Amino acid sequence: DLITSLIVDADFLSMGEEVQQRCVCFVAAYRNHEECSNEKLSHLLEALKNSTTVHITTLNLGGISLEGTNRMIANMLKLPIRLTRPLCEVVHRKARGNPLFVRMFLSVLFEEHALTYSLKEKRWLWDIDDIRQTSMDEELALILSQKVSRMSQDVQQALTLVSCFGMRVEGDVLRM
């Protein structure tokens, strides 16, 4: 866990000259609401901001623009941007410009047959009214849990077991 390791190793702030002789760069990413909900992270960020030995550069990244979302969807569906504009407007609003949510929402639309490929027309088609009615959960975890719940019981049990090994699992563990 990035936050825990940073908090545990935060003693470097009190090292003074020793730190000044070393160059260290680390990058951390978090959502703005996570800073408020995680007291340890808030304290660490405040300590780093107040440090005289650490230089911090903060980049606030928002969602992608409506035009960016349209280019992304047009690229994914291999269609001109003029054709994807109505779809983009609905998807962008529901995904709040988050590219990961855009991708996940398009997958949900495909799975629910609201986004289909027409062999006759040789292109993707959608019913914009159906898409407007499709719910977009605020949290990615809910979307992912919905996807997992559609998997077979065996796959769900395997995922539960594998999740105990952490974020990365070696192939040997999967073959057991």
Side-chain angles (χ1 to χ4, degrees), residues 77-79 116-125:
L77 301 180
K78 306 291 188 234
L79 290 170
T116 57
Y117 188 80
S118 169
L119 291 173
K120 181 179 178 183
E121 295 189 38
K122 296 182 178 151
R123 73 178 198 94
W124 289 94
L125 301 174

Side-chain angles (χ1 to χ4, degrees), residues 55-162:
H55 175 74
I56 293 192
T57 301
T58 303
L59 300 174
N60 292 316
L61 303 176
I64 58 177
S65 67
L66 183 64
E67 292 77 24
T69 302
N70 197 22
R71 284 191 304 271
M72 178 181 173
I73 292 173
N75 186 39
M76 291 171 75
L77 301 180
K78 306 291 188 234
L79 290 170
I81 57 175
R82 66 181 166 71
L83 293 179
T84 57
R85 184 65 179 203
L87 174 63
C88 163
E89 289 171 354
V90 174
V91 171
H92 181 79
R93 185 175 60 253
K94 288 183 176 276
R96 297 182 185 153
N98 182 318
L100 181 59
F101 284 2
V102 168
R103 185 178 177 280
M104 294 296 296
F105 189 56
L106 289 175
S107 294
V108 168
L109 294 176
F110 175 75
E111 290 169 7
E112 294 181 0
H113 305 288
L115 177 65
T116 57
Y117 188 80
S118 169
L119 291 173
K120 181 179 178 183
E121 295 189 38
K122 296 182 178 151
R123 73 178 198 94
W124 289 94
L125 301 174
W126 53 88
D127 182 337
I128 201 71
D129 292 327
D130 281 351
I131 293 171
R132 282 190 183 107
Q133 300 302 315
T134 303
S135 66
M136 174 64 179
D137 300 304
E138 289 187 17
E139 296 297 325
L140 180 59
L142 292 175
I143 295 170
L144 294 175
S145 69
Q146 288 173 353
K147 288 180 78 108
V148 170
S149 70
R150 289 185 223 138
M151 296 176 181
S152 71
Q153 275 304 114
D154 291 343
V155 172
Q156 288 182 39
Q157 288 175 345
L159 287 173
T160 301
L161 179 64
V162 169

Side-chain angles (χ1 to χ4, degrees), residues 28-42:
Y30 61 92
R31 293 177 187 89
N32 286 341
H33 72 276
E34 288 176 345
E35 179 182 354
C36 299
S37 66
N38 188 319
E39 189 176 326
K40 289 180 180 180
L41 175 61
S42 295

